[in-house]
Amino acid sequence: MEMKDLFEKVMQKSINMALATSVDNKPNVRVVTFAYDPARAGKVFFTTFNRNQKVKEFAENPYVACMPIPESPEADAQVRIFGTVQKSSVSLDEIIAIIAKKYPGNADTIKEGGSMMDIYEICFDEAYVTAGMNPAEKVNV
């Protein structure tokens, strides 16, 4: 399977991703549920409460790394993404629809957050895909 195909497979099948930020040379990582739409290549979307620590960290340093977490220990590949994060103009309903395809129960949680939730997007041009014991390969998106 081509690396670009592995990238798409991981992005479509994974529900959560590890999201890493860094402020004052202090890294911080957390797990968030994400949405990926191949029609919007080069962007990963997620929701977050608008008053939490990660939003403050985004304001101080918009450079982030993320890695979708495979749902199965037999996953074909791992994907690493480095990019910049910003508040998104995509509607909450659009993001809920994408997330609900993979994780239907999470849609209600997002809706309950209402005005306390914001949508963010990570913008990137390339990702790194590792398959098996092979070295990571860069994939342009």
Side-chain angles (χ1 to χ4, degrees):
M1 185 177 278
E2 295 290 322
M3 288 299 191
K4 177 76 173 182
D5 294 333
L6 283 173
F7 167 81
E8 293 292 339
K9 184 177 179 182
V10 169
M11 298 303 286
Q12 293 300 326
K13 289 190 174 255
S14 301
I15 296 170
N16 297 308
M17 68 178 177
L19 173 65
T21 56
S22 180
V23 175
D24 296 327
N25 292 319
K26 295 177 184 168
N28 194 357
V29 67
R30 72 276 288 156
V31 175
V32 297
T33 301
F34 76 98
Y36 175 75
D37 179 2
R40 293 183 174 106
K43 294 190 179 195
V44 175
F45 301 91
F46 61 95
T47 58
T48 189
F49 289 100
N50 50 31
R51 293 186 182 185
N52 70 17
Q53 182 62 35
K54 71 177 149 297
V55 172
K56 294 174 189 170
E57 292 172 10
F58 298 158
E60 289 187 49
N61 181 2
Y63 295 99
V64 298
C66 64
M67 182 176 183
I69 301 169
E71 296 302 309
S72 165
E74 295 87 30
D76 296 301
Q78 293 181 345
V79 171
R80 290 179 295 129
I81 296 169
F82 303 90
T84 56
V85 67
Q86 63 189 23
K87 205 167 182 181
S88 182
S89 62
V90 175
S91 77
L92 187 60
D93 289 336
E94 289 177 81
I95 297 306
I96 288 172
I98 296 168
I99 290 174
K101 289 178 188 174
K102 295 190 285 186
Y103 185 24
N106 194 267
D108 291 336
T109 302
I110 295 169
K111 286 180 186 176
E112 287 175 23
S115 64
M116 296 183 298
M117 301 291 282
D118 285 331
I119 302 166
Y120 281 83
E121 61 189 38
I122 300 169
C123 302
F124 61 101
D125 296 323
E126 58 194 27
Y128 295 86
V129 179
T130 305
M133 301 293 283
N134 299 311
E137 289 187 35
K138 182 170 42 172
V139 173
N140 293 317
V141 294

